[in-house]
Amino acid sequence: MGEFVKRVFSGIQPSGKIHLGNYLGAIQKYVKLQQDDSFETVYCVVDMHAITVAQDPKILRERTLEVTAAYLAAGVSPEKSIIFNQSRVSQHAELGWIFNCIARLGWMNRMTQFKDKAGKNSERMSLGLLAYPSLMAADILAYNATHVPVGDDQKQHLELCRDIAQKFNNDYAEQIKALGFGDQFFCLTEPMIKFGGAPVRVMNLRDGTKKMSSSAESDMTRINMNDDSDTLAKKLKKAKTDADAIPSELAGLEGRPEAKNLIEIYAALNNSDSQTVLNQFGGNQFRAFKSALIELAVATIGPIGDEMNHLMKDEAHIDQVLKDGADKARIIAEPIVQDVKRIVGFMV
Ligand code: TYM
């Protein structure tokens, strides 16, 4: 991948409450990557993805501000990273269309997330929901991003992104060479899923076999980033566990998804790893552990939530961050998409 600039791209949908899964699976990685000067970092609020299912326009706007506030509150800096909302940079939609003509219908039909969301109602879903992973590939490749930090649930979409890049490079190989781009126009993006001690998948507090998600109907199943201390305490106290004591070895967590989840959350919030947590708490009942977890959650997530709420009082400021970010994003994406148009034979 030598010839490509080391560039990180990632995004979050403004389609629900921003929760601990988003934080540990994505935002915490964004902050760490931004500290590595060898990377350019581009972080998006993917509003165009959100409308693949029905959204109330007022709430969409609110959520867009809220995701941005979460980025800022968690430490993503507009000085170090580009922060913007997707719909402000038209190159996403333009490249998305070209990729709709590269991706195969069979590839889309195999996407498990589409199948999960559509269920038995696929005939009634929007065409956008099916095409979603193609737009996601465009998000990434409009910047020729080499690295994409995400949670484990996005793995299949990132494989599809590589398939699209590869097919584009093959289908247009002659033109790519003729225009002086060598053998590869698009890079084959690396997913960054496992990252330090953080869990790749934060699970639902009431059912450890399901992932924590903003679409679960009960708020008790997830920790929202702007939950106040009382709510954090209530949710963690009521989180499902089992009757056994905390084990001392990792093997003792097998077949105990709720126990494993809480240990992993503790480890991630404490910048540690599961074995270290078991060394400390092995042999204890969950009651005592939960008190420590609540204290840790209040100390780590609490201030982020407070800062989010504070930032949300100044919408104009958040919007200015997004506008400035979009201007910077365009400077990268515009020439790349312009080259793509020349490669496919559009008059530019
Ligand atoms: P979205 O909005 O569902 O989730 C945003 C990020 O949070 C991660 N995540 C989790 N990680 C661990 N445990 C969980 N329970 C959990 N829930 C969510 C997701 O893996 C993701 O990293 N398609 C993407 C958005 C997107 C995107 C992109 C991402 C659009 N274009 C380009 C990267 C690059 C999505 O729906 O994420």
Side-chain angles (χ1 to χ4, degrees), residues 37-76:
D37 286 336
S38 67
F39 284 113
E40 265 178 42
T41 44
V42 185
Y43 301 126
C44 189
V45 184
V46 290
D47 48 8
M48 290 160 67
H49 282 274
I51 64 161
T52 54
V53 297
Q55 300 290 340
D56 176 329
K58 282 198 209 76
I59 297 179
L60 180 62
R61 193 179 171 280
E62 189 75 15
R63 298 274 196 241
T64 301
L65 294 168
E66 200 172 277
V67 174
T68 314
Y71 285 178
L72 298 172
V76 181

Side-chain angles (χ1 to χ4, degrees), residues 100-264:
N100 283 350
C101 303
I102 298 284
R104 305 290 93 184
L105 215 42
W107 300 357
M108 297 304 178
N109 282 326
R110 280 195 286 278
M111 293 292 115
T112 53
Q113 204 158 77
F114 174 75
K115 289 192 222 168
D116 290 348
K117 281 198 180 169
K120 292 197 183 74
N121 290 325
S122 65
E123 293 281 313
R124 297 172 63 184
M125 294 294 127
S126 73
L127 182 54
L129 190 66
L130 182 68
Y132 177 118
S134 159
L135 179 60
M136 177 162 163
D139 298 337
I140 296 165
L141 294 174
Y143 302 84
N144 237 331
T146 51
H147 295 80
V148 179
V150 282
D152 169 66
D153 59 341
Q154 296 300 316
K155 195 169 167 195
Q156 196 186 27
H157 290 158
L158 289 178
E159 281 160 11
L160 187 104
C161 175
R162 292 166 69 103
D163 290 344
I164 290 178
Q166 185 100 60
K167 184 160 163 44
F168 183 92
N169 289 340
N170 290 342
D171 289 358
Y172 292 102
E174 209 177 297
Q175 198 62 11
I176 290 171
K177 200 167 247 149
L179 289 170
F181 298 113
D183 293 332
Q184 255 192 317
F185 182 79
F186 284 124
C187 69
L188 301 184
T189 302
E190 290 289 331
M192 299 178 111
I193 295 173
K194 189 78 199 126
F195 205 92
V200 293
R201 193 173 277 239
V202 179
M203 308 311 278
N204 178 309
L205 296 179
R206 289 311 187 84
D207 177 352
T209 63
K210 296 194 182 130
K211 70 171 183 182
M212 184 177 287
S213 121
S214 57
S215 57
E217 44 323 328
S218 165
D219 202 50
M220 292 299 286
T221 62
R222 66 180 156 256
I223 288 177
N224 301 316
M225 291 309 290
N226 59 357
D227 279 342
D228 60 29
S229 313
D230 289 346
T231 312
L232 285 174
K234 188 173 75 184
K235 288 180 176 176
L236 289 170
K237 227 177 251 161
K238 294 220 161 149
K240 188 174 167 201
T241 48
D242 52 42
D244 293 342
I246 295 176
S248 302
E249 301 296 331
L250 292 174
L253 291 173
E254 263 162 45
R256 300 172 66 186
E258 288 85 11
K260 183 165 181 274
N261 189 37
L262 293 184
I263 298 290
E264 286 185 348

